Amino acid sequence: EPLKQFKNGHFNESVRKATERFEVAVQQKSGSTDIGKQLMARSFSLPTPTIALNSLSTENEKGIQEGYQFMTMGMMLAIRNIFSHGDEDQRTSEEAYEMLLFINWLFRHLN
C-alpha cells in the first residue's frame, strides 16, 4: 500500500503508512501494545531487549542494537509523528523516496 500511494503521487501518505506498518510489525514481534518512541525504546533497549537484532555478545553487536533503538525512536519522532499529527507540506518524490528507503532498511534488520 505505501508503494501504491507513492506511485499515485501521495508522497506524505506513503511515508506515514510505511512508518505505521513498521510500528505494527514491532508491536507484533515484541508483543507490546506501546506505541511510538516508547515502543521502540522498550523493544530494543539493552541489556535485555524484547527484540534482539543479534546475539549481543560483543560491544559491536551491542552498539548495533543501541544504534537501531535510537534510529527507530528518532524515526517515530521525526518522520511518523510529523505526518500523523501535523499538517505538513507535500514532500518531494525524492525526499519521500529517501524516507521510504530508510524505513525499508529498518524493516530489513527487524526480520
Side-chain angles (χ1 to χ4, degrees):
E1 187 178 350
L3 230 37
K4 182 179 176 184
Q5 290 171 333
F6 181 86
K7 288 178 183 177
N8 289 331
H10 303 288
F11 305 129
N12 289 10
E13 182 63 15
S14 70
V15 173
R16 184 190 66 77
K17 184 58 81 174
T19 60
E20 289 175 356
R21 292 216 174 180
F22 183 82
E23 183 176 44
V24 168
V26 172
Q27 286 173 324
Q28 291 172 342
K29 194 160 183 146
S30 68
S32 176
T33 58
D34 289 335
I35 60 171
K37 177 185 164 192
Q38 183 176 354
L39 171 66
M40 302 307 154
R42 290 184 178 171
S43 296
F44 300 109
S45 66
L46 294 172
T48 54
T50 55
I51 302 174
L53 303 175
N54 53 57
S55 68
L56 304 173
S57 59
T58 67
E59 287 305 310
N60 202 30
E61 288 178 337
K62 291 174 187 173
I64 291 168
Q65 182 76 30
E66 187 175 29
Y68 189 88
Q69 174 194 13
F70 291 142
M71 284 189 287
T72 58
M73 290 168 62
M75 189 261 294
M76 289 287 110
L77 294 171
I79 299 175
R80 188 204 62 153
N81 284 358
I82 64 168
F83 292 121
S84 294
H85 304 300
D87 186 21
E88 285 294 303
D89 290 337
Q90 184 69 19
R91 300 302 168 103
T92 65
S93 60
E94 292 83 9
E95 187 175 7
Y97 187 67
E98 290 166 349
M99 288 185 230
L100 290 171
L101 285 174
F102 174 65
I103 297 162
N104 186 68
W105 183 86
L106 292 173
F107 262 116
R108 179 182 309 273
H109 291 281
L110 181 62
N111 296 318

